Amino acid sequence: VGAKIIGSFQDITEIKENEIKFKGIFDSAITFIGFLNPEGILLEANRTALETAGIKRKDVIGKYFWDCYWWQISETARKELKENFQRAISGETISYEVAIWIANQTPVTIHFSLKPILNEKGKVIYVIPEGRTAQEIIDTKRRYKSVLEGTNIGTWEWNVQTGDLLVNDRWAEIAGYTLLELEPSNIHTWSGLMHSDDLEASRKILKKCFARELEFYEMEV
């Protein structure tokens, strides 16, 4: 500026430390994760995604995601990805099962998602692709099942649309029955077992839950 040079410097130690933390979490994840820009170009892929496919970072970074190794398994997979990416760019979170290539052109089915990242104005600035193998999902379900069985609690799953009620053995045992004796189970199975004095209170709490006035349905009956 005129005869002067104006400069500045800034302590970015904290920024660099956060980058290292992010990179560590990103690369240690057992799922396949990446970053896409709004054009669909792959900006980053984690170590799991690269090593499982037997490829290097330079092989895919900077390419359109659907042109990368994983998706060369079929034209159908590439076309479906392109279509779903356009939906993600509009702000929709996409999730589906698809076959991709891992190392040595070995096909594997993954549970795949595309999650849009929005800025403060609501504009999509990145899309995060994430994939988990079907076996990982099975293993996770087994772990959750083991935890539930270990706590020795009764669990229930209510399909609000159909009224169907899925309960575990412990739930039936607490109620004084076997699962077989309770089949077919539905929401009326539960209301039929409940004491009449508690039934109306239960309905009121459920109504508040559906109206989002309460976060949990919880009561003693």
Side-chain angles (χ1 to χ4, degrees):
V1 180
K4 299 178 180 178
I5 296 177
I6 299 175
S8 67
F9 68 96
Q10 179 183 356
D11 183 352
I12 61 168
T13 303
E14 187 176 350
I15 295 173
K16 297 300 290 185
E17 287 175 351
N18 287 336
E19 286 179 0
I20 292 169
K21 290 176 187 175
F22 164 76
K23 188 67 175 173
I25 295 169
F26 187 70
D27 277 333
S28 64
I30 61 173
T31 56
F32 310 149
I33 307 176
F35 272 94
L36 306 175
N37 71 8
E39 284 71 50
I41 293 174
L42 184 64
L43 305 176
E44 191 61 77
N46 73 340
R47 186 180 296 131
T48 303
L50 298 173
E51 291 182 352
T52 305
I55 58 179
K56 297 188 181 300
R57 190 174 180 277
K58 62 182 178 61
D59 297 329
V60 289
I61 299 303
K63 291 185 177 181
Y64 286 106
F65 192 41
W66 40 83
D67 290 337
C68 293
Y69 170 82
W70 305 281
W71 303 97
Q72 300 310 304
I73 187 169
S74 72
E75 189 56 39
T76 301
R78 296 179 70 221
K79 181 180 178 182
E80 186 176 26
L81 174 61
K82 288 180 183 179
E83 292 172 352
N84 284 327
F85 178 77
Q86 291 304 316
R87 292 169 60 191
I89 283 297
S90 69
E92 184 179 353
T93 296
I94 310 297
S95 181
Y96 65 105
E97 287 191 358
V98 63
I100 62 168
W101 269 347
I102 56 174
N104 303 314
Q105 297 186 356
T106 303
V108 63
T109 299
I110 63 170
H111 182 78
F112 181 69
S113 64
L114 292 165
K115 300 174 183 177
I117 302 298
L118 286 66
N119 63 14
E120 64 279 0
K121 296 181 180 179
K123 181 181 179 181
V124 176
I125 53 175
Y126 297 110
V127 172
I128 298 179
E130 184 176 2
R132 298 181 65 184
T133 62
Q135 187 58 49
E136 277 185 50
I137 296 170
I138 292 170
D139 291 342
T140 300
K141 287 181 177 178
R142 284 175 180 166
R143 285 196 294 272
Y144 286 141
K145 186 174 184 291
S146 297
V147 170
L148 286 174
E149 289 175 352
T151 58
N152 200 32
I153 60 174
T155 63
W156 51 279
E157 182 180 325
W158 173 26
N159 186 318
V160 180
Q161 280 71 41
T162 66
D164 292 336
L165 190 70
L166 183 64
V167 300
N168 68 350
D169 288 296
R170 181 59 179 149
W171 191 99
E173 184 184 343
I174 291 171
Y177 296 89
T178 65
L179 277 179
L180 189 61
E181 289 174 322
L182 290 176
E183 290 181 351
S185 297
N186 55 46
I187 194 59
H188 299 298
T189 306
W190 170 233
S191 58
L193 291 169
M194 190 182 296
H195 195 285
S196 57
D197 292 345
D198 296 323
L199 195 56
E200 185 58 33
S202 174
R203 287 172 176 163
K204 286 180 179 178
I205 293 175
L206 279 174
K207 187 176 181 180
K208 287 184 177 181
C209 284
F210 290 139
R212 302 193 184 281
E213 295 173 14
L214 291 176
E215 190 174 355
F216 297 105
Y217 169 88
E218 183 176 22
M219 68 175 295
E220 293 183 8
V221 297

